[in-house]
């Protein structure tokens, strides 16, 4: 094994680090839909109205997917002849009409969902893996994943490097959306990295990811296109901390993790790299969002964003190239509910919730080892009349609500109220796409080619109930 | 203001980072006594037997201090003609016989205690500040500290730089123990840094400390002695987290903070720097201790450690210069009780305690926002028959005790038991120096010169009761 193991450090040393960067949602599917549309899930439809403040995503039984009315980044990039590829997890719907090649991508190697499993394929099929529109097999079958022996080769790094090479040689502009999911439970790493970190299997997967970042950057340099390429690293949600020690990440000083609107659920690592354009070794305190990648990419490519809809993403070019600071709020949504908002250093919680007592008592814990009374509540608590306000600079762990009797509280509340009222007045929610489930949709397009179709049951749709699952991994 | 603000990053980039480095004790005085003697507090006497597992230190009413039987690093360095200076907080006793110049230091600028205060000096005098044996004034009086306006100049950085210059010019070998305490509550920063960080006043103080580190390194380089100087940065305990948002630090992913034997109380940042000798940009997973600085410094200076006593410090030279890994345990003591031990990645808790319910109910919280049932206990819980064992790699937050029924547990327990039995068999506790308090000792030597003595009360010693104080800061 040849391991660089210095992707992130190198990227930060040569680029710009964003300690105040957020995902648009604390769960994968809505976060990714927002990344590619530049719009909050509540606008682009990646949410459910089946229950209040309930995250939804695209499991195998989901009927919906990304709406045909949404315009995705690769569709817009075509205006300037960009070739677009997604490698890895898609997660915007797995039925024919929702797949990446129907939404602007020219190429795809990966799967519509995570590598959950292995499943008993007589009842629930394993997740398919595609090369473009061709189904090449399934995880745990043709695409082996063995979390104990780690013999799964690293997810698609080489397809990524190869794609970059091809475009460089052809001198074509390109967009690579590299979306590995090895750090998603069940976490795995290739043999080369398994057992190599100090941090168990999760650390092994992180080490491999770090190495891959380094390889991608080195590849760009070796092709001589580094001065012409914007690379951005970030994540689609905070580390999951509910899977026990082997499968959970860590959100460091932040509260809770994935699924929640506390900082641990939505604050993300983020680094931008573009040698010669972005000043090396810099730190920007800009409040950023994954949705900004949509707007920034368009700006860099010289393409106007759509003007017939609200775009939540911000063009970060002035930040990247001139170290400007742009004033903007960050909204924290959980499903259909705006739970919190951040302006400047202040975050106001309008609703708090970790998960229900019922789920918590079954052992599902979104905040293991952490508890802030009145904040990490197990009932959905409304604070709209008197939001809980934290100063995230002085109190990154959201442990000390600012006294409602202080001048500081009143001043912040006044500012926050104006921002929230504006947001809610202007907001026209999109049609929710994640309300219906049906076991009949679990057999994906393409299985015929492989002779691996499973006879689907008769259609029998129901309103998805979106439980927070207790998943037990080795 | 001219601010480099890149001390630690630069130091790590040019040196060796230790993510598994510990202090010998979760409280200041014992930790510093251990640093300078290379011996656990339970050996060098910096503990109390007045109560079980109770941390003790050297407040103004303490009768004791560092024992004359202990041999401190600067005393030994004299064998090779080193000049030694301490700048900042001493904390090994404030009566005449305990002061730094009586224990091997040639120079001192600083105070015997922290900058607690301001005090009403008719009852409790403010802490004195010395230049060598001369008392120059007191904090909050001649040495102004104003945590709101930050007009206190940075603690003694320039004395440090000046001392280095003098020794470089004279070509004398030197030992500088630079012990600033601006990050100790009440936290302060100089005007240049106040309000400059994203992290409140604590962040301002950290930013200034970072800047100072950078200035010291730059100074060594400018004097041309960087290839001849070992610099080590570490802390005497984990960040205090009990003082509310403005005065508390953060221990990131680690559990609890100062005063406790959880990782947040004793795992420390640590960087070694010696251009040309220590390989740049390296990370060592060596289990290290502040006490190792004693042994390593002697080794580097070519001086044999005392052979008439147990030295707990390890000579880290093979680690620093050859990236070796040395097998050794880390013992976590709280007062007179070994609470836990770490071997390799495993930590076994023999006793757990945060603080008493009585104190906790008064608002004294050593683990705010954190709670691990059965681990962060508010009663002193003995686990000596069946220690709680954690894998600190997979579980740095000490949240998931390894099942006592697993083979892993049995294997680790066997190893840990052997180490602990050996330790306890060999251990001869030193005479406890921190048992007696007396208000009559609060007036320090040197006040006469300034005409600032306060009439001390008649001697009336009592057994110190070592409460965990609730201190309220603005």
């Amino acid at each position: 094994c040849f391991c660089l193991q210095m992707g992130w450090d190198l990227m930060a040393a040569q680029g710009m680090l964003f300690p105040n960067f957020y995902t648009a949602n604390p769960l994968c599917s809505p976060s990714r839909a927002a990344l590619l549309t530049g719009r909050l899930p509540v606008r682009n439809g990646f949410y459910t109205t089946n229950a209040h403040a309930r995250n939804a995503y695209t499991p195998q039984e989901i009927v919906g997917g990304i709406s045909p009315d949404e315009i995705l980044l690769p569709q817009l990039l075509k205006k300037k002849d960009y070739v677009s590829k997604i490698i890895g997890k898609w997660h915007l719907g797995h039925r024919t009409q929702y797949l990446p090649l129907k939404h602007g991508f020219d190429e795809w190697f990966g799967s519509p969902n995570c590598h959950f499993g292995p499943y008993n394929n007589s009842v629930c099929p394993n997740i398919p893996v595609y090369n473009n529109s061709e189904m090449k097999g399934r995880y745990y079958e043709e695409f082996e994943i063995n979390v104990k022996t780690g013999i799964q080769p690293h997810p698609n790094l080489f397809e990524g490097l190869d794609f970059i090479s091809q475009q460089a040689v052809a001198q074509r502009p390109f967009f690579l959306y590299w979306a590995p999911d090895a750090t998603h439970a069940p976490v795995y790493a290739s043999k080369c990295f398994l057992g190599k970190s100090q941090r168990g299997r999760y650390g092994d997967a992180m080490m491999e990811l770090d190495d891959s970042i380094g390889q991608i950057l080195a590849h760009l340099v070796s092709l001589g296109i580094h001065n012409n390429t914007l690379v951005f690293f970030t994540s689609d949600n905070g580390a999951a901390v509910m899977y026990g020690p082997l499968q959970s990440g860590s959100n460091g000083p932040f509260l809770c993790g994935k699924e929640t609107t506390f900082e641990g659920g939505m604050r993300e690592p983020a680094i931008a790299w573009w040698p010669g354009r972005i000043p090396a070794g810099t730190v920007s305190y800009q409040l950023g969002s994954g949705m900004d990648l949509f707007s920034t990419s368009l700006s860099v490519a010289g393409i106007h964003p759509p003007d017939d809809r609200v775009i939540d993403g911000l063009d970060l070019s002035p930040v990247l190239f001139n170290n400007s600071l742009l004033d903007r709020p960050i909204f924290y949504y959980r499903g259909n509910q705006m739970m919190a908002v951040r302006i400047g250093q202040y975050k106001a919680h309008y609703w708090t919730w970790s998960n229900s007592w019922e789920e918590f008592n079954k052992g599902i814990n979104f905040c293991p080892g952490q508890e802030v009374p009145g904040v990490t509540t197990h009932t959905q608590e409304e604070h709209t009349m008197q939001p809980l306000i934290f100063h995230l600079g002085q109190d990154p762990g959201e442990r000390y609500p600012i006294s409602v009797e202080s001048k500081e509280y009143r001043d912040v509340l006044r500012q926050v109220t104006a921002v929230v009222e504006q947001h809610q007045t202007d907001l026209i929610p999109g049609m929710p796409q994640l309300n219906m489930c049906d076991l009949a949709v679990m057999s994906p397009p393409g299985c015929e080619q492989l002779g691996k179709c499973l006879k689907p049951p008769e259609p029998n749709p129901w309103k998805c109930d979106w439980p927070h699952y207790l998943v037990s991994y080795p």
Side-chain angles (χ1 to χ4, degrees), chain A residues 27-346:
Chain A
L27 202 67
C28 39
S29 292
S31 165
R32 285 155 192 251
L35 175 87
L36 289 171
T37 62
R39 284 151 58 77
L40 282 168
V42 72
R43 293 195 219 273
N44 68 32
F46 253 57
Y47 71 103
T48 182
T49 51
N50 292 355
H52 179 246
R54 203 81 188 192
N55 296 320
Y57 69 110
T58 54
Q60 288 180 281
E61 64 272 22
I62 195 80
V63 172
I66 188 70
S67 160
D69 297 334
E70 291 300 315
I71 306 174
L72 273 62
L73 178 59
Q75 290 172 287
L76 291 161
L77 289 172
K78 279 195 199 307
K79 293 183 184 175
K80 291 278 176 116
D81 300 320
Y82 276 72
V83 183
S84 297
K85 180 163 193 162
I86 164 173
I87 293 185
K89 185 169 102 168
W90 168 241
H91 233 185
L92 301 192
H94 62 276
R95 299 174 70 200
T96 310
Q97 66 271 36
Y98 300 128
L99 293 179
L101 270 56
K102 304 282 185 185
H103 290 269
F105 283 99
D106 302 293
E107 302 182 23
W108 181 30
F109 190 96
S111 60
N113 206 325
C114 307
H115 60 281
F116 287 128
Y119 293 118
N120 172 346
N121 67 13
S122 70
V123 178
C124 173
N126 275 315
I127 310 289
V129 176
Y130 290 87
N131 187 14
N132 299 323
S133 55
E134 195 179 346
M135 179 172 157
K136 303 299 285 182
R138 297 184 193 270
Y139 280 132
Y140 301 97
E141 298 174 25
E142 292 80 1
F143 291 85
E144 192 171 358
I145 291 178
N146 186 320
V147 293
K148 294 222 164 172
T149 62
I151 62 168
Q152 162 77 0
H154 191 265
N156 317 315
L157 172 63
F158 300 107
E159 283 86 357
L161 300 180
D162 191 46
F163 173 76
I164 293 171
S165 297
Q166 287 171 31
Q167 312 320 318
V169 167
Q171 297 194 294
R172 273 186 303 230
F174 68 89
F175 166 46
L176 172 60
Y177 175 34
W178 189 62
D181 72 344
T183 56
H184 191 293
V187 172
Y188 66 91
S190 72
K191 212 167 195 168
C192 185
F193 289 90
L194 206 75
K196 293 284 164 46
S197 81
Q198 305 283 315
R199 181 55 169 80
R201 201 177 303 147
Y202 197 95
D204 302 343
M206 292 296 276
M207 192 181 255
E208 184 157 19
L209 189 55
D210 191 21
D211 180 76
S212 298
I213 306 291
Q215 289 200 45
I216 290 171
L217 300 186
H219 193 63
L220 293 170
V221 171
S222 75
L223 291 168
I225 57 172
H226 51 292
N227 289 325
N228 209 21
T229 309
L230 169 62
V231 183
F232 204 98
F233 174 83
T234 189
S235 180
D236 61 346
N237 46 242
V241 291
M242 67 285 241
Y243 296 135
L246 293 181
Q247 300 285 336
S248 294
S250 165
N251 295 304
F254 298 128
L255 189 59
C256 305
K258 182 173 173 176
E259 293 268 14
T260 77
T261 47
F262 304 111
E263 291 299 289
M266 292 185 58
R267 185 101 68 109
E268 306 303 330
I271 317 174
W273 183 92
W274 187 347
R277 290 296 305 278
I278 296 172
T282 44
V283 174
S284 170
Y285 294 104
Q286 173 67 42
L287 299 195
S289 164
M291 298 181 291
D292 301 346
L293 302 186
F294 175 90
S295 304
T296 307
S297 300
L298 291 180
S299 165
V300 162
I303 298 166
H304 284 291
D307 55 10
D308 63 343
R309 62 196 66 206
V310 174
I311 302 291
D312 296 286
L314 207 61
D315 174 9
L316 294 180
S317 301
V319 180
L320 297 174
F321 308 137
N322 302 318
N323 226 332
S324 302
L325 279 178
L326 311 173
D327 191 28
R328 72 98 65 89
I330 295 290
F331 296 104
Y332 304 67
Y333 270 84
R334 192 156 166 175
N336 57 350
Q337 179 61 56
M338 192 206 80
M339 305 284 287
V341 61
R342 174 174 179 175
I343 58 169
Q345 289 273 43
Y346 293 98

Side-chain angles (χ1 to χ4, degrees), chain A residues 95 224 354 389 471:
Chain A
R95 299 174 70 200
S354 59
I389 299 182
V471 189

Side-chain angles (χ1 to χ4, degrees), chain A residues 287 327 329-332 338 340-350 383-394 400-421:
Chain A
L287 299 195
D327 191 28
I330 295 290
F331 296 104
Y332 304 67
M338 192 206 80
V341 61
R342 174 174 179 175
I343 58 169
Q345 289 273 43
Y346 293 98
K347 179 175 178 182
H349 289 270
Y350 284 73
H383 311 277
T384 48
M385 298 308 290
Q386 194 175 73
L388 300 176
I389 299 182
F390 296 92
H391 186 292
L392 293 179
Q394 290 165 3
Y400 306 100
I402 294 170
S403 165
V404 297
E405 287 161 21
S406 65
K407 179 174 181 305
E408 185 180 18
Y409 184 92
R410 291 192 301 274
D411 289 347
V412 175
L413 183 59
R414 194 178 319 113
Q415 295 172 56
V416 164
T417 302
V419 168
V420 169
E421 281 179 359

Side-chain angles (χ1 to χ4, degrees), chain A residues 443-456:
Chain A
S443 207
C447 60
E448 314 81 14
Q449 293 154 302
L450 273 181
K452 293 200 66 171
C453 295
L454 297 167
K455 187 175 159 43

